[in-house]
Amino acid sequence: MKKHKFILSGGGTGGHIYPAIAIANELKLRFPDAEFLFVGAQDKMEMQKVPQAGYEIEGLWIAGIQRKLTAQNAMFPLKLISSLWKSKKILRRFKPDAVIGTGGFASGPLLQMANSMNIPTVIQEQNSYPGITNKMLSKKANAICVAYENLERFFPKDKIVFTGNPVRQDLLDVDSKRNEGIDYFKLDATKKTLLVLGGSLGARRINQLIEKELDFLLSNGIQIFWQCGKLYYEDYKKYNDKENVQVVAFIDRMDLIYAAADFVISRAGASSVSELCLVGKPTIFIPSPNVSEDHQTKNAKAIVDKKGAILLKESELDSTFETVFSDLISNENKQKEFSQNIKSLAKPNATKDIVEQIIKLIK
């Protein structure tokens, strides 16, 4: 039987990297002797995260276009030509059966070259508002796996498959891990827990909010588990001295902290939204306004429109946060409604469904 080969490309942020790793892991389950290669941007976090997950990776000399005029922008054409040339070299050498792109700078040149060489390609679009790279690649892709409805205005309708986003498989049964989570993170089992998530790098505005509102939050009789991100840990670790507050840069067991949490405050990156649908905790989304096309607001709004969460814009935080949080924490019916509604939007089989689309192309 033929040995299958797959190239995966996605990076720049955890939101692109972890879905690619989840897809590779599922393909490995189906084809244990398959060969895998990841392609990333040479100075981005995928160059560390992918080898940690046990896969080989090659880097391209590529970066996105900055919004303002910079020397980096002047280099972009050169970087693009270099990345297209190297992608072609990689594809010729590795000879993959299929190429899977999960977004990020490097997936553009790689999938562009794969399309021109008639190698089957699959795009996995995490967001409710696609980036420019995936919009351009979609015309020649064989299948486009999406996590939100109504993306026909961006992609060819006949190629869209509504699968959801790949998520960590250890989140499928967090309800049974609550006691384990409380023990693991040394939480007080008699208190409700607020989980604050700013993403792997952190979210400055959320950190500022929690610092400002710390006494108010604690006055509600809760404990706070605050993931401030590695960029901000030195600024906020001093609050570990405060009773009922834990500050961490990074969370190593997301399944256990989700299991222990009663409420969540989070950014609205696509992976975070998909995970929170799966775990079904009452959530306040504070989208980052600094991402392309304001896609985090659109991701959150897709949940809020189905009465599955609360959305607070950064500009509203000072005037409305305390009222909104007090209302949520004191209203058990509202908590139950949010939990049920957000959970109904989960797609637990997303990774398997995406892999089914890939298998269809290589048969």
Side-chain angles (χ1 to χ4, degrees), residues 29 162-163 195 202 222 241 263 305:
L29 282 176
F162 182 45
T163 57
L195 170 62
I222 62 171
D241 295 338
F263 310 97
D305 287 349

Side-chain angles (χ1 to χ4, degrees), residues 322-333:
E322 289 189 9
T323 311
V324 168
F325 189 79
S326 297
D327 182 46
L328 175 65
I329 203 165
S330 62
N331 190 331
E332 283 197 16
N333 288 336

Side-chain angles (χ1 to χ4, degrees), residues 130-137 292-293:
I132 189 164
T133 304
N134 277 355
K135 281 191 230 170
M136 285 165 58
L137 293 169
S292 58
E293 316 284 2

Side-chain angles (χ1 to χ4, degrees), residues 299-312:
N299 291 347
K301 206 169 171 315
I303 306 299
V304 172
D305 287 349
K306 303 268 174 75
K307 296 186 170 54
I310 296 165
L311 190 161
L312 283 180

